Amino acid sequence: METNLLNKLSNDYLKRLDDKEDYNVIINVNDAQNTKTFYAHSAILRQRSSYFHERLVKTKKNKNNIKKITLTNVTIQHFEIIIRYIYGGVVSLENIDSSFIVELMLASCEFFLEEFIKYLENYLIEEKSHWLLLHFANIYSKSFQSDNKLQILQKWCNDIIVKYPTKFFDSENFTSIQENALISIITRDDLQMDEGKIWDYVIKWGVAQNFDLPSDPDNYTLENFQTLKATIQNCLPHVRYFHISNNDIVENVQPYHQILEKNLWKDLLRKLIFSNHPITSKILPPRIVLAQQLPPRADELVSTIINNEHAAEIASWVDKRDYSTKNNPYRFNLLLRGSKDGFTAASFWNLCNEQVNVIVIMKVKGTDEILGGYNPIAWHKPFSKRFTKESDDCFIFSLKNGIIKNSILSRVKKPKTAVLCHSKYGPCFGGGGLTLKDNCDQDGQCQCFNYNNNTYNPIRDKSTYDEVDDCSKFSVEEYEICKAPLGFKWWSQSHNHVIEYELLIISHRTLSPIL
């Protein structure tokens, strides 16, 4: 029977890394900040990394029988972790920023550390999925920049895109994605898009890669068609032509038919005219249409505070477009309800910590007021001191209800202090814009300030504010927190334009888009 005693082995090899004796490799890491020297052993480097194996073979020894390697493609901080993994197979990612882990993963690709790369991919997906969704465009792009080394992360991204493809293909930076990324999507059997649309987007992408091509195919020369064909030749075999509608064949494929193989175009024409005519071209199977579970009807709204009109109004504010009860595409599922889960700060942090895109709704005790707010960036429970977080998209509101004749929307005025994270409070917007303290169902534990320089404009009537401290204090008889309509946002390169994605999060405590 074999026994693995790897901890002692790992520690022994790490000691060798720190030992300045018997080394035969010097690695100088030069980054933008500094230079650091590492003393290593060729036998370990060559065994653990194919990059170092090839590099050491090509590196000559100096007069002291030492091989020197200079690295400029990795930071010192990243390489300190990588070299410890190479020697001891150990890594600690606690309290490390997510963006640093992503860059560590990309650096590991340079050294062909397959096991380590897969570990980092799985760690990000399992532990940092909310962060990945908030930075989806950047993560998606980077996952395809390292050849096929990040297949786990690529699949995770594509699994989302194929279910909700329209806004990905309609995003302003769609035409800037790499060819291998586009191919990885259009090869998927479960891509939920009409085949004619897929053809259109392939053409759009190809044309965008050649700025000198005319916008109208009627003006194309033979050379123009050859240029377009050469650009998308790796995409063309994955379009399922015989599942494109006859109308799309005539309207959208025919203008570009010169980029298709002659026999394929002839077969498409035969199918168009004679549906039963024999076809010699390869026919790919139709894409799999995923079964969709219909959500509850709009009149089955689970909130005990708001009605369908309120829900449509909140969705309109989030999406920055007009919805009514008839076309509101979203439904609410709860993260927290005060009367069920408790009104304490502890219950808030237990159920809502790090939840992005959440809506807070509260019924003010003794009035018709319904107040609330939207936070797309999540509250993170601080270990000690409180801190604020920045967002351009937060807002607070008061809803029309009873004697409250008009709704009030107050978008954030000072993005740097959009939300407050305080371990002893519940959800807080800005520096007193709307704050729920511990036990928010008790007198005075909720408050709104009316300072001239506040992060938000006031949402309560002026008569409710104390003249001395300019603060309006109240308590709630009920409050709810739920997942907001958007699962994540596809950001453009400039970060000035936001294209919003719906993400169906498989959980009984989410707000999912109606499909």
Side-chain angles (χ1 to χ4, degrees), residues 305 332-338 341 347-349 351-352 355 357-362 373 379 426-427 436 479-484 509:
I305 300 177
F332 288 95
N333 290 330
L334 296 175
L335 288 173
L336 177 154
R337 174 175 286 144
D341 301 303
S347 64
F348 165 73
W349 289 115
L351 296 173
C352 303
Q355 292 284 349
N357 302 307
V358 295
I359 291 174
V360 181
I361 307 164
M362 66 197 74
W379 282 279
L436 276 68
Y479 94 110
E480 298 166 345
I481 299 179
C482 51
K483 203 74 175 180
R509 282 175 169 263

Side-chain angles (χ1 to χ4, degrees), residues 290-501:
L290 299 179
Q292 303 285 0
Q293 275 195 343
L294 293 177
R297 291 168 52 86
D299 56 9
E300 297 176 11
L301 186 69
V302 296
S303 175
T304 62
I305 300 177
I306 63 172
N307 57 35
N308 291 318
E309 287 77 14
H310 293 142
E313 188 168 33
I314 294 171
S316 299
W317 292 334
V318 174
D319 277 8
K320 297 180 181 179
R321 57 177 296 181
D322 291 330
Y323 290 129
S324 67
T325 56
K326 293 182 179 180
N327 68 356
N328 180 7
Y330 307 113
R331 68 181 176 95
F332 288 95
N333 290 330
L334 296 175
L335 288 173
L336 177 154
R337 174 175 286 144
S339 59
K340 174 179 175 292
D341 301 303
F343 294 88
T344 64
S347 64
F348 165 73
W349 289 115
N350 286 338
L351 296 173
C352 303
N353 188 29
E354 299 187 11
Q355 292 284 349
V356 296
N357 302 307
V358 295
I359 291 174
V360 181
I361 307 164
M362 66 197 74
K363 179 70 172 66
V364 177
K365 187 177 292 186
T367 76
D368 287 333
E369 292 175 281
I370 299 175
L371 308 180
Y374 170 62
N375 175 13
I377 58 172
W379 282 279
H380 290 78
K381 186 176 182 180
F383 292 105
S384 54
K385 297 181 179 179
R386 64 183 184 178
F387 61 88
T388 58
K389 295 181 65 178
E390 181 175 358
S391 172
D392 293 315
D393 298 316
C394 287
F395 59 79
I396 58 177
F397 57 81
S398 171
L399 296 175
K400 175 183 177 181
N401 185 57
I403 65 170
I404 310 298
K405 299 301 182 183
N406 297 294
S407 295
I408 299 174
L409 169 63
S410 176
R411 295 195 181 274
V412 62
K413 298 189 298 183
K414 296 184 176 182
K416 288 187 177 180
T417 56
V419 295
L420 171 68
C421 301
H422 193 306
S423 60
K424 295 183 179 179
Y425 288 6
C428 300
F429 291 86
L434 181 61
T435 298
L436 276 68
K437 296 184 177 180
D438 194 20
N439 298 311
C440 58
D441 60 330
Q442 298 180 10
D443 290 343
Q445 287 300 98
C446 306
Q447 59 187 29
C448 297
F449 282 93
N450 190 28
Y451 299 143
N452 290 331
N453 62 347
N454 202 6
T455 305
Y456 299 88
N457 289 325
I459 56 174
R460 300 198 76 200
D461 188 89
K462 293 182 179 179
S463 63
T464 66
Y465 288 83
D466 184 273
E467 295 182 359
V468 177
D469 56 13
D470 211 9
C471 177
S472 176
K473 297 180 180 180
F474 59 96
S475 59
V476 301
E477 62 183 60
E478 181 66 285
Y479 94 110
E480 298 166 345
I481 299 179
C482 51
K483 203 74 175 180
L486 304 179
F488 70 95
K489 297 179 179 180
W490 177 271
W491 293 79
S492 69
Q493 297 278 348
S494 66
H495 284 214
N496 292 327
H497 179 65
V498 178
I499 295 177
E500 297 153 338
Y501 258 95

Side-chain angles (χ1 to χ4, degrees), residues 25 32 36 47 92 142 217 244 250 272 280 304 376 395 405 446:
V25 179
K36 183 171 181 177
Q47 183 63 37
S92 175
K142 288 184 175 180
I244 299 177
V250 173
L272 190 65
T280 59
T304 62
F395 59 79
K405 299 301 182 183
C446 306

